Amino acid sequence: MTEHDDGTGRRWDGGLLDLDAYLARIGHTGDLSPTPETLRALHRAHVLAVPFENLEVLLGRPVLLDLPALQDKIVRGARGGYCFEHARLFAAALERLGFGVTGLSSRVGMGSDRVRPATHAVLRVETAETPETGRVWICDVGFGAGPLEPIGFADGAATADSGWSFRLERRAAPGAPPGAGEWTLRERRADGGGWLDLHTFTANPQYAVDWVVGSHYVSTHPRSPFVRRPVVQRTGPDVRQALHGTTWTTTVRTDGSRRERKLEPHEVPKVLEDVFGIALDAEDAAALAAVLERLPADDGPAEVPAG
């Protein structure tokens, strides 16, 4: 049993993390003390370095959330992952560095009023200053198109970067007892499209085993967007790159302008490597191209969103 494993499954296996390798993967060379400044730097570095991707699902392999598997894939293999993978790895790193970490599960809405399944993972994080200041943070490293830095866990807390702004709001939960509020992360589009509700969560703690259940759902449910087409995103300081199916979209953060290109299936592996930093071997590249060849021409959004 390690220093960061109490045998109950309530912690994040920080003691198992190859910290030096993780820091090299995300390019962080700064301070490691559990302060808000370090948290912001780590969050930004992780989001910029590690892409969002669901390729294992399409290649017929299970998505594993144990820390050794995540290190092999994301840290040593220089791959990306979807929200549960990102949040699980980031939680281990923060725990290792002395931050207080609580997992949360969120419902991705993207503007819809329908109740969606809780298929997104975020973190509630305390720093060394929290006992004195009471200030707590929400870290959302695995949304794919979320904030570059943590956002304060407080009604009206906001963060802005390169023209895109995010805001956290607390709202009454419909049909719930008084005081049972929900928290919604909202994004203000740089193109003037107004505010969009991205996902909604409560403060109910979630553990690694809960995320295993959620991950299994989004990687196997027939209506999940992750089981039928690539969903790949990479955030840069000034642009977002996204691949949905065979459509490659570049969005400029400063003004919200978009450029789209439809790729041929055989072009996708090279774009994954050159643009998203995901290098597939020849066998996986061929298997992915075969999946893309089978996509219907009108392949649109699935009904079960995932973060």
Side-chain angles (χ1 to χ4, degrees):
M1 191 176 298
T2 70
E3 176 186 357
H4 296 286
D5 178 8
D6 61 2
T8 68
R10 288 181 168 83
R11 305 190 73 174
W12 301 99
D13 299 320
L16 299 178
L17 179 69
D18 184 342
L19 183 60
D20 290 341
Y22 171 75
L23 295 175
R25 171 73 173 94
I26 67 172
H28 178 80
T29 58
D31 187 67
L32 297 178
S33 56
T35 64
E37 293 75 22
T38 298
L39 183 63
R40 281 192 288 270
L42 290 169
H43 193 292
R44 172 178 282 266
H46 183 112
V47 171
L48 293 177
V50 184
F52 180 105
E53 51 120 323
N54 68 322
L55 301 180
E56 294 298 276
V57 178
L58 298 175
L59 293 171
R61 295 192 285 260
V63 177
L64 303 177
L65 297 187
D66 61 281
L67 196 64
L70 291 174
Q71 290 196 116
D72 284 344
K73 178 187 176 187
I74 296 176
V75 177
R76 301 186 183 100
R79 286 280 302 278
Y82 57 38
C83 64
F84 295 108
E85 298 171 275
H86 281 268
R88 180 77 171 85
L89 181 61
F90 197 58
L94 294 183
E95 183 181 75
R96 175 70 174 270
L97 294 172
F99 292 90
V101 185
T102 302
L104 304 174
S105 289
S106 192
R107 303 178 188 275
V108 178
M110 300 302 294
S112 173
D113 291 331
R114 293 178 58 191
V115 175
R116 308 282 191 171
T119 58
H120 181 53
V122 297
L123 300 172
R124 176 190 183 276
V125 179
E126 298 182 3
T127 70
E129 301 170 14
T130 298
E132 294 183 4
T133 66
R135 195 167 191 189
V136 179
W137 303 88
I138 292 296
C139 291
D140 192 7
V141 294
F143 193 67
L148 284 174
E149 297 187 355
I151 188 168
F153 195 5
D155 189 21
T159 181
D161 195 288
S162 301
W164 281 344
S165 301
F166 298 87
R167 178 183 175 90
L168 193 62
E169 294 184 3
R170 187 174 187 182
R171 302 169 178 175
E182 294 179 332
W183 296 85
T184 299
L185 182 66
R186 311 186 74 203
E187 177 191 5
R188 184 168 60 193
R189 302 291 190 177
D191 61 3
W195 287 93
L196 176 69
D197 292 356
L198 299 180
H199 59 82
T200 299
F201 58 92
T202 70
N204 183 43
Q206 300 287 290
Y207 305 106
V209 68
D210 298 313
W211 287 354
V212 168
V213 175
S215 178
H216 175 72
Y217 178 76
V218 298
S219 64
T220 62
H221 193 284
R223 289 191 179 274
S224 170
F226 293 166
V227 303
R228 70 186 199 188
R229 63 176 181 173
V231 180
V232 186
Q233 299 187 67
R234 185 163 191 178
T235 296
D238 301 310
V239 298
R240 285 178 181 162
Q241 304 286 356
L243 179 71
H244 293 89
T246 56
T247 300
W248 169 24
T249 304
T250 300
T251 304
V252 179
R253 295 177 65 89
T254 52
D255 61 9
S257 61
R258 293 162 59 91
R259 181 176 67 252
E260 286 191 0
R261 178 186 166 192
K262 191 74 171 179
L263 302 173
E264 295 297 327
H266 71 271
E267 295 180 296
V268 169
K270 181 170 174 50
V271 170
L272 286 174
E273 183 169 3
D274 293 347
V275 176
F276 297 91
I278 300 170
L280 301 179
D281 62 28
E283 183 178 354
D284 282 351
L288 179 62
V291 170
L292 295 172
E293 290 282 2
R294 297 192 296 269
L295 283 180
D298 62 346
D299 184 54
E303 294 185 17
V304 177

